[in-house]
Amino acid sequence: MIDFTEEQIERYSRHIILPEVGAEGQSKLLESKVFMIGAGGLGSPVAYYLAAAGVGTIGIADADVVDMSNLQRQIIHNQDRVGIPKVESARETIQSLNPDVKVNTYNYRIDADNVREIVREYDLIIDGCDNFPTRFLVNDACFFERKPLISGAMFRFEGQVATFKPHSSKEAPCYRCLYPEPPPAGLVPSCSEAGILGALAGAVGTIQAVEAIKELLGIGDSLAGRLMVFDALRMEWKKLKLHKDPACPLCGEHATITELITYEQACELQLGHS
Amino acid sequence: MQIQLNGETRETTAETLQQLVAELGLEARTIAIELNREVAPRSRWSETPVRDNDRIEIVHMIGGG
């Protein structure tokens, strides 16, 4: 266990007094490594809360620079950072919040050639990207590398969060058990093409952050095998039970996917990760 | 027969989830189907019966972040 400094004991006191966390759990968080795909709407609250919680290493991948139109929801950035890489902006915010956190930045698009090596270095992966090719790539990489994946997505007034740990048991589903392949081009719009209620990103991203911290600590009930669906207009959360699809092309009984697949971008507007 | 689809009562002649997707004119690749609080595995839609008073929710694939 880590020897806490006095400042750390004070900083993390509200965690340490929780019996479910304690000094041991806080120590575990400080030694944990989380990789996030996307420093956008979902990545902003995720990075903020993981940093505040003292997750020791946070890796962030995003190829984009901060744009004025991001600031309506991507709260880890600010007006002074417009034009600079999102990963650099996120690093600055995180380090001014909590210097205990080491930030690794990946200022490029993750692809089939680099994703497995990166994922391998981390304990847990959080997907908050803005395009389907990356979602499938990350799911497959996490399956091959046996890493837990907390996936979040949003659109207009709706959010979805699920944890995938297909390596953990024979019954545990992966993202492809839910959606087997990317949608045909143009059929499912992305954030860059359609509106999104900014604060929705906070509601969905913080659920991802809470689940990430629980997974790292091994406390409570994992969201694995469940899909949370949030309808902001009706202010309703639903939790659906997922099943492994025996015919899943990735984790099913007769899997056909044995290596990473590069899908074409469905939309040329989707250049970055968020 | 009557089902509860996304919270609303609907008449259907579909006998399976596969037939229901066709009846609704939905693109199968972009949805998941929740039948009585559990998501039905896609490969079994053609053999999963739709029964009177079933509660069915269509979940749409979304990808924004």
Side-chain angles (χ1 to χ4, degrees), chain A:
Chain A
M1 199 167 83
I2 286 172
D3 282 329
F4 293 109
T5 63
E6 279 189 28
E7 188 184 289
Q8 286 177 322
I9 290 172
E10 191 175 357
R11 178 185 287 270
Y12 304 117
S13 60
R14 300 304 193 278
H15 270 169
I16 293 170
I17 57 173
L18 285 171
E20 293 81 357
V21 182
E24 201 175 316
Q26 188 59 52
S27 181
K28 207 185 265 183
L29 291 178
L30 284 161
E31 290 172 324
S32 293
K33 301 178 78 176
V34 172
F35 178 54
M36 302 172 31
I37 301 99
L42 296 175
S44 288
V46 170
Y48 251 121
Y49 275 109
L50 295 187
V55 169
T57 305
I58 300 177
I60 309 176
D62 201 307
D64 273 350
V65 297
V66 179
D67 184 86
M68 190 66 81
S69 69
N70 300 149
L71 302 180
Q72 161 258 22
R73 65 194 180 285
Q74 303 184 13
I75 59 168
I76 206 157
H77 312 301
N78 64 49
Q79 180 136 351
D80 297 338
R81 312 254 180 85
V82 169
I84 76 164
K86 286 186 180 178
V87 291
E88 289 306 323
S89 169
R91 184 213 298 272
E92 281 183 40
T93 304
I94 290 170
Q95 287 184 337
S96 64
L97 173 64
N98 187 350
D100 285 347
V101 180
K102 178 177 180 239
V103 181
N104 299 330
T105 58
Y106 305 86
N107 189 18
Y108 46 82
R109 177 167 276 283
I110 57 158
D111 59 27
D113 294 327
N114 59 33
V115 65
R116 285 188 65 169
E117 277 173 57
I118 300 172
V119 160
R120 201 173 294 150
E121 297 298 310
Y122 292 87
D123 303 312
L124 177 97
I125 315 303
I126 300 186
D127 191 359
C129 79
D130 72 347
N131 67 86
F132 289 108
T134 304
R135 288 185 182 278
F136 283 85
L137 183 73
V138 169
N139 174 67
D140 296 359
C142 288
F143 172 75
F144 291 129
E145 296 294 334
R146 304 173 61 83
K147 300 289 182 179
L149 168 64
I150 299 179
S151 176
M154 53 183 183
F155 176 64
R156 294 167 57 91
F157 296 93
E158 188 190 334
Q160 295 180 9
V161 181
T163 299
F164 298 109
K165 295 198 285 187
H167 52 278
S168 68
S169 81
K170 274 196 272 185
E171 292 77 38
C174 80
Y175 184 68
R176 285 187 188 266
C177 294
L178 182 61
Y179 306 117
E181 56 186 292
L187 215 61
V188 179
S190 71
C191 275
S192 45
E193 299 165 301
I196 181 145
L197 189 76
L200 175 70
V204 178
T206 48
I207 294 285
Q208 286 183 281
V210 169
E211 277 309 305
I213 291 167
K214 283 169 55 196
E215 285 289 341
L216 294 172
L217 294 173
I219 60 172
D221 298 327
S222 168
L223 195 58
R226 300 285 189 281
L227 171 69
M228 307 248 340
V229 179
F230 180 53
D231 180 341
L233 287 179
R234 296 198 173 83
M235 198 44 84
E236 264 178 12
W237 277 104
K238 277 191 302 191
K239 192 162 74 170
L240 317 183
K241 191 172 186 342
L242 297 177
H243 292 281
K244 188 183 200 81
D245 192 330
C248 175
L250 181 69
C251 71
E253 287 157 14
H254 305 287
T256 53
I257 297 172
T258 54
E259 55 184 35
L260 297 175
I261 299 171
T262 301
Y263 293 104
E264 292 300 314
Q265 281 294 320
C267 167
E268 61 182 11
L269 289 172
Q270 300 168 285
L271 293 172
H273 280 307
S274 50

